Amino acid sequence: MGLWAHSNTDLSIAGFGGNIFRSTNSGRNWTQQARKMVNFLDLEFADPQRGFSVGYDGKIYRPTDGGANWNLVYSNSFFLWFHDVGCISPARAVAVGQGGRILATADSGNTWALQPSPVLNNLYCVNFVNSQVGIAAGDGGKILRTTNGGNTWIEVHSEENAP
């Protein structure tokens, strides 16, 4: 399940059952924005209008109008799940998930490309501190780092080689 705060009062949440809800009054009331045939694990927005939601079955959805409607923009035939998505800008995002999969878009989700991953461990989170530097983490204490906007990743920590 993923939660995103657009502002102090504007919130979005995605979860199991393919539901995405939005509140514009600090969570007092919620409006359903989507119900898809997928269990969502995360959502993130680059700005109030553009973002992505990821989940099981290897699917990625994008809102067309600030989140009122969501369209499928990526689906893999292997049904490998994506656990987290990090938006770098309205055009650029990175999704991480099962088997060390790292997927990136540079055109607002129109196309997605598999990025080389230094690990086969499941990855559960990804965040960017700026347009170039990002961190991903997963099973076995694996921590990955990128310094070029998610194009290449290196392993910087692992439980297996910790002192």
Side-chain angles (χ1 to χ4, degrees):
M1 177 173 286
L3 172 67
W4 183 255
H6 305 273
S7 69
N8 290 340
T9 58
D10 191 3
L11 310 166
S12 290
I13 192 165
F16 279 53
N19 292 304
I20 297 177
F21 290 91
R22 192 161 190 173
S23 172
T24 56
N25 60 6
S26 301
R28 285 187 291 280
N29 302 97
W30 294 87
T31 302
Q32 187 172 17
Q33 294 189 294
R35 183 172 177 93
K36 303 293 183 184
M37 298 302 294
V38 64
N39 287 320
F40 291 116
L41 295 170
D42 187 49
L43 81 165
E44 185 169 319
F45 283 78
D47 63 30
Q49 297 296 311
R50 294 171 286 192
F52 298 97
S53 188
V54 298
Y56 287 114
D57 298 335
K59 294 180 179 173
I60 300 175
Y61 287 84
R62 170 182 68 195
T64 57
D65 45 15
N69 295 290
W70 292 76
N71 291 332
L72 180 67
V73 293
Y74 178 84
S75 180
N76 70 52
S77 59
F78 303 109
F79 302 107
L80 298 171
W81 51 260
F82 293 100
H83 200 277
D84 196 17
V85 60
C87 292
I88 303 165
S89 72
R92 193 148 172 74
V94 173
V96 298
Q98 188 175 5
R101 297 276 191 284
I102 302 171
L103 203 62
T105 183
D107 60 5
S108 301
N110 294 317
T111 59
W112 292 82
L114 195 60
Q115 303 301 304
S117 176
V119 301
L120 297 176
N121 301 60
N122 295 335
L123 297 171
Y124 295 107
C125 59
V126 61
N127 274 301
F128 283 82
V129 296
N130 59 41
S131 65
Q132 298 299 307
V133 178
I135 302 292
D139 284 340
K142 301 290 185 183
I143 300 173
L144 310 181
R145 184 171 190 259
T146 182
T147 57
N148 59 8
N151 292 319
T152 58
W153 295 82
I154 59 167
E155 183 179 335
V156 294
H157 179 76
S158 172
E159 292 284 320
E160 296 152 3
N161 36 356

